[in-house]
């Protein structure tokens, strides 16, 4: 159905994203394509789907497709958003096939009849995009970030769709729970050695098994590397002592002892030969595996008074563009509370977060950090990363900023990139760093993990879990809800309800 042979992908800046990769997608496969931000997951998926990527990448090798490939992109075009649902699904619609596609996905056609794609929620767009694929009776389905913008209800719907689908799939997702529940194989695309070496691994394991075996491999590899390095240091130190001894003897021997001088010269030649042997041995030492997703930053110790009132909010009506989304909202937050607000798409969660931000941003007794769902609100896309983070700070902070960015796996080149050229995951990391270097004690976070690799997610959740200040968040990330949130609220048309 899908066969890849000796595929090498290079971006237009000369960076190799995939090197000499071969792979066959078989019946029953539900493969998760994972990797850090900017590694080329979307590019690889488009090449598999037969979509032109020549504007930013090139490739060699063969990609053979048998049958029809259904491709779900990350984002719809402006033209597609202006279409009504029927035209988006097909310009020459067969209503019998249309009803079959809706029934196959267990969705009511009447809900969407005549509506424009732009009026649908993120979750509804994913559903209709999948219906469009099913309508054309595909043999393979490729999905790029189908979980972005989905509420919990739709996430569970998508899981059921993937599990019950009888077609082979490859999907990119940042949702670890979905990966754990659905994937029976893993494609892991990496950029190692400071993004100079492309590496792509296929495993027939499920996600949890793959992560466990990978972590075990990394631990074992690094233990061997540390042991070999320690042994090499001992050998090198022993060689240095011998070299210094022979060198000293050569300096102090008298001309009256030509035989001794000749013997020392021979001995020095032997010592130098040993040096060359050590240099060759050093090349063969096991290298430490520096996991690309490693994040070595943390919040400074924040010590906020647990009894401090952070928020005491009442809203009679929550409205957007004259439409009432909810009413009678009450929310009290103090000191070290970590709350998370969930709810269906379109209930006004992001609107509520913005109202809370407007209330808190002028407070002088707290240091507010804000990460919106739409990064355009706070990022200066024309600025480079270092300038954005360094803005208004001391000159001495520059080295600290560079060090932190290095800990987030930014290359020197990426640190000086305009922010608009970064992947969404990298932008998320820039905002996370802004919160950290800003010494914020109250964090207002709208979907903070939505663009992070599932491999980075655990570390970011750990950082937020250990944060000693206050967190007010919106999230559909089930791992985030489980590991970070201490109190959960659901927003609906009837208000905000605490979930026990």
């Amino acid at each position: 159905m899908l066969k890849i042979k000796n595929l090498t992908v290079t971006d237009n800046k000369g960076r190799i994203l995939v090197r000499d990769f071969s792979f066959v997608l078989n019946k029953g496969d539900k493969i998760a394509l994972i990797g850090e931000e900017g590694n080329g997951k979307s590019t690889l998926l488009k090449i598999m789907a037969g979509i032109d990527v020549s504007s930013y990448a090139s490739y060699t090798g063969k990609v053979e497709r048998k049958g029809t490939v259904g491709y779900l992109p990350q984002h719809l075009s402006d033209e597609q958003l202006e279409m009504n649902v029927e035209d988006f699904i097909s310009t020459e619609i067969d209503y019998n096939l249309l009803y079959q596609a809706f029934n196959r996905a267990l969705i009511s056609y009447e809900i969407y009849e005549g509506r424009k794609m732009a009026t649908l929620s993120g979750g509804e767009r994913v559903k209709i995009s999948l219906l469009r694929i099913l309508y054309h009776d595909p043999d393979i389905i490729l999905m790029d970030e189908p979980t972005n913008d989905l509420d919990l209800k739709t996430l569970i719907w998508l899981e059921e769709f993937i599990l019950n689908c009888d077609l082979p799939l490859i999907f990119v997702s940042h949702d670890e729970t979905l990966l754990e529940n659905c994937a029976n194989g893993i494609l892991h695309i990496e950029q190692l050695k400071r993004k100079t070496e492309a590496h792509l691994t296929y495993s027939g394991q499920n996600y949890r098994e793959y992560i466990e075996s990978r972590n075990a491999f990394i631990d074992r590899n690094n233990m061997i590397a540390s042991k070999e390095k320690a042994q090499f240091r001992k050998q090198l130190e022993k060689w240095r002592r011998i070299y210094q001894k022979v060198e000293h003897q050569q300096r102090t021997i008298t001309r009256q002892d030509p035989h001794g001088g000749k013997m020392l010269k021979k001995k020095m030649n032997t010592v130098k030969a040993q040096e060359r042997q050590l240099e060759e041995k050093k090349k063969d030492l096991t290298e430490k595996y520096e996991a690309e997703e490693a994040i070595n930053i943390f919040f400074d110790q924040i010590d906020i008074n647990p009894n401090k009132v952070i928020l005491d909010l009442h809203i009679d009506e929550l409205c957007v563009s004259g439409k009432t989304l909810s009413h009678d909202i009450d929310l009290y937050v103090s000191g070290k509370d970590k709350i998370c607000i969930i709810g269906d798409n379109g209930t006004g969660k992001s609107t509520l977060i913005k109202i809370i931000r407007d209330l808190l941003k002028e407070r002088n007794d707290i240091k507010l950090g804000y990460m919106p769902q739409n990064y355009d609100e706070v990022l200066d896309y024309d600025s480079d990363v270092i300038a954005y983070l360094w803005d208004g700070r001391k000159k001495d902070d520059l080295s600290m900023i560079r060090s932190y960015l290095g800990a987030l796996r930014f290359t020197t080149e990426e640190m000086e990139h305009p922010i608009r050229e970064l992947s969404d995951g990298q932008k998320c990391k820039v905002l996370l760093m802004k919160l950290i270097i800003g010494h914020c004690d109250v964090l207002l976070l709208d979907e903070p993990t939505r663009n992070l690799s599932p491999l980075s997610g655990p570390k970011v959740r750990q950082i937020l879990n250990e944060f000693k200040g206050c967190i007010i968040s919106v999230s559909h990330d089930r791992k985030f809800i489980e590991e970070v949130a201490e109190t959960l609220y659901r927003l609906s048309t009837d208000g905000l309800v605490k979930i026990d």
Side-chain angles (χ1 to χ4, degrees), residues 315-320 323-329 347-349 351-352 355 491:
I315 299 174
D316 290 326
E317 286 189 334
L318 182 65
C319 300
V320 173
K323 180 183 178 182
T324 300
L325 303 177
S326 185
H327 58 85
D328 295 329
I329 295 173
T347 53
K349 299 182 298 297
T351 301
L352 178 58
I355 290 172
L491 181 63

CSV table of all heavy atoms in Angstrom, one decimal, residues 315-320 323-329 347-349 351-352 355 491:
chain,number,residue,atom,x,y,z
A,315,ILE,N,-18.8,36.6,37.1
A,315,ILE,CA,-19.3,37.1,35.8
A,315,ILE,C,-20.7,36.7,35.6
A,315,ILE,O,-21.1,35.5,35.6
A,315,ILE,CB,-18.4,36.5,34.6
A,315,ILE,CG1,-16.9,36.9,34.8
A,315,ILE,CG2,-18.9,37.0,33.3
A,315,ILE,CD1,-16.0,36.2,33.8
A,316,ASP,N,-21.6,37.7,35.4
A,316,ASP,CA,-23.0,37.4,35.2
A,316,ASP,C,-23.2,36.7,33.8
A,316,ASP,O,-23.9,35.7,33.8
A,316,ASP,CB,-23.8,38.7,35.2
A,316,ASP,CG,-23.9,39.3,36.6
A,316,ASP,OD1,-23.9,38.5,37.6
A,316,ASP,OD2,-23.9,40.5,36.7
A,317,GLU,N,-22.6,37.2,32.8
A,317,GLU,CA,-22.7,36.6,31.5
A,317,GLU,C,-21.3,36.7,30.8
A,317,GLU,O,-20.7,37.7,30.7
A,317,GLU,CB,-23.7,37.4,30.6
A,317,GLU,CG,-25.2,37.1,31.0
A,317,GLU,CD,-26.1,37.7,30.0
A,317,GLU,OE1,-25.8,38.7,29.3
A,317,GLU,OE2,-27.3,37.2,29.9
A,318,LEU,N,-20.9,35.5,30.2
A,318,LEU,CA,-19.7,35.5,29.4
A,318,LEU,C,-20.1,35.5,27.9
A,318,LEU,O,-20.8,34.6,27.4
A,318,LEU,CB,-19.0,34.1,29.7
A,318,LEU,CG,-17.7,33.9,28.9
A,318,LEU,CD1,-16.6,35.0,29.4
A,318,LEU,CD2,-17.1,32.5,29.2
A,319,CYS,N,-19.8,36.6,27.3
A,319,CYS,CA,-20.3,36.9,25.9
A,319,CYS,C,-19.1,37.1,24.9
A,319,CYS,O,-18.0,37.6,25.3
A,319,CYS,CB,-21.1,38.1,25.9
A,319,CYS,SG,-22.6,38.1,26.9
A,320,VAL,N,-19.3,36.7,23.7
A,320,VAL,CA,-18.4,36.9,22.6
A,320,VAL,C,-19.2,37.4,21.4
A,320,VAL,O,-20.2,36.7,21.0
A,320,VAL,CB,-17.6,35.7,22.2
A,320,VAL,CG1,-16.8,35.9,20.9
A,320,VAL,CG2,-16.7,35.3,23.3
A,323,LYS,N,-22.9,37.2,21.6
A,323,LYS,CA,-23.5,35.8,21.9
A,323,LYS,C,-23.1,35.4,23.3
A,323,LYS,O,-21.9,35.5,23.7
A,323,LYS,CB,-22.9,34.8,20.9
A,323,LYS,CG,-23.5,33.4,21.1
A,323,LYS,CD,-22.9,32.4,20.1
A,323,LYS,CE,-23.4,31.0,20.4
A,323,LYS,NZ,-22.8,30.0,19.5
A,324,THR,N,-24.1,35.0,24.1
A,324,THR,CA,-23.8,34.6,25.5
A,324,THR,C,-23.4,33.1,25.4
A,324,THR,O,-24.1,32.2,25.0
A,324,THR,CB,-25.1,34.7,26.3
A,324,THR,OG1,-25.5,36.1,26.4
A,324,THR,CG2,-24.8,34.2,27.7
A,325,LEU,N,-22.2,32.9,25.9
A,325,LEU,CA,-21.6,31.5,26.0
A,325,LEU,C,-21.9,30.8,27.3
A,325,LEU,O,-22.1,29.6,27.3
A,325,LEU,CB,-20.1,31.5,25.7
A,325,LEU,CG,-19.7,32.2,24.4
A,325,LEU,CD1,-18.1,32.2,24.3
A,325,LEU,CD2,-20.2,31.5,23.2
A,326,SER,N,-21.9,31.6,28.4
A,326,SER,CA,-22.1,31.0,29.7
A,326,SER,C,-22.6,32.1,30.6
A,326,SER,O,-22.5,33.3,30.3
A,326,SER,CB,-20.8,30.4,30.2
A,326,SER,OG,-21.0,29.7,31.5
A,327,HIS,N,-23.0,31.8,31.8
A,327,HIS,CA,-23.5,32.8,32.8
A,327,HIS,C,-23.3,32.3,34.2
A,327,HIS,O,-23.0,31.1,34.5
A,327,HIS,CB,-25.0,33.1,32.5
A,327,HIS,CG,-25.9,31.9,32.7
A,327,HIS,ND1,-26.4,31.4,33.9
A,327,HIS,CD2,-26.4,31.0,31.7
A,327,HIS,CE1,-27.1,30.4,33.7
A,327,HIS,NE2,-27.1,30.1,32.4
A,328,ASP,N,-23.3,33.2,35.1
A,328,ASP,CA,-23.2,33.0,36.6
A,328,ASP,C,-21.9,32.2,36.8
A,328,ASP,O,-21.9,31.1,37.4
A,328,ASP,CB,-24.4,32.2,37.1
A,328,ASP,CG,-25.6,33.0,37.1
A,328,ASP,OD1,-25.6,34.2,37.2
A,328,ASP,OD2,-26.7,32.4,36.9
A,329,ILE,N,-20.7,32.8,36.4
A,329,ILE,CA,-19.4,32.1,36.6
A,329,ILE,C,-18.8,32.7,37.9
A,329,ILE,O,-18.7,33.9,38.1
A,329,ILE,CB,-18.5,32.4,35.4
A,329,ILE,CG1,-19.1,31.7,34.1
A,329,ILE,CG2,-17.1,32.0,35.7
A,329,ILE,CD1,-18.3,32.1,32.9
A,347,THR,N,-17.1,26.9,24.3
A,347,THR,CA,-17.8,27.3,25.5
A,347,THR,C,-17.2,28.6,26.1
A,347,THR,O,-17.8,29.1,27.1
A,347,THR,CB,-17.8,26.2,26.5
A,347,THR,OG1,-16.5,25.8,26.7
A,347,THR,CG2,-18.7,25.0,26.1
A,348,GLY,N,-16.1,29.1,25.6
A,348,GLY,CA,-15.6,30.4,26.0
A,348,GLY,C,-14.4,30.3,27.0
A,348,GLY,O,-14.1,31.2,27.7
A,349,LYS,N,-13.7,29.2,27.0
A,349,LYS,CA,-12.6,29.0,27.9
A,349,LYS,C,-11.5,30.0,27.7
A,349,LYS,O,-11.0,30.6,28.6
A,349,LYS,CB,-12.0,27.6,27.8
A,349,LYS,CG,-13.0,26.5,28.1
A,349,LYS,CD,-12.4,25.1,28.0
A,349,LYS,CE,-11.9,24.8,26.7
A,349,LYS,NZ,-13.0,24.7,25.6
A,351,THR,N,-11.7,32.9,26.1
A,351,THR,CA,-12.3,34.2,26.5
A,351,THR,C,-12.2,34.4,28.0
A,351,THR,O,-11.9,35.5,28.4
A,351,THR,CB,-13.8,34.3,26.0
A,351,THR,OG1,-13.8,34.0,24.6
A,351,THR,CG2,-14.4,35.6,26.3
A,352,LEU,N,-12.5,33.4,28.8
A,352,LEU,CA,-12.5,33.5,30.2
A,352,LEU,C,-11.0,33.8,30.7
A,352,LEU,O,-10.8,34.6,31.6
A,352,LEU,CB,-13.0,32.3,30.9
A,352,LEU,CG,-13.0,32.2,32.4
A,352,LEU,CD1,-13.8,33.4,33.0
A,352,LEU,CD2,-13.5,30.9,32.9
A,355,ILE,N,-10.1,37.4,30.1
A,355,ILE,CA,-10.8,38.3,31.1
A,355,ILE,C,-10.0,38.2,32.4
A,355,ILE,O,-9.7,39.3,33.1
A,355,ILE,CB,-12.2,37.8,31.4
A,355,ILE,CG1,-13.1,38.1,30.2
A,355,ILE,CG2,-12.8,38.5,32.6
A,355,ILE,CD1,-14.5,37.5,30.3
A,491,LEU,N,-16.3,24.3,32.3
A,491,LEU,CA,-17.1,25.4,31.8
A,491,LEU,C,-18.1,25.0,30.8
A,491,LEU,O,-17.8,24.3,29.8
A,491,LEU,CB,-16.2,26.4,31.2
A,491,LEU,CG,-16.9,27.7,30.7
A,491,LEU,CD1,-17.5,28.5,31.8
A,491,LEU,CD2,-15.9,28.6,29.9
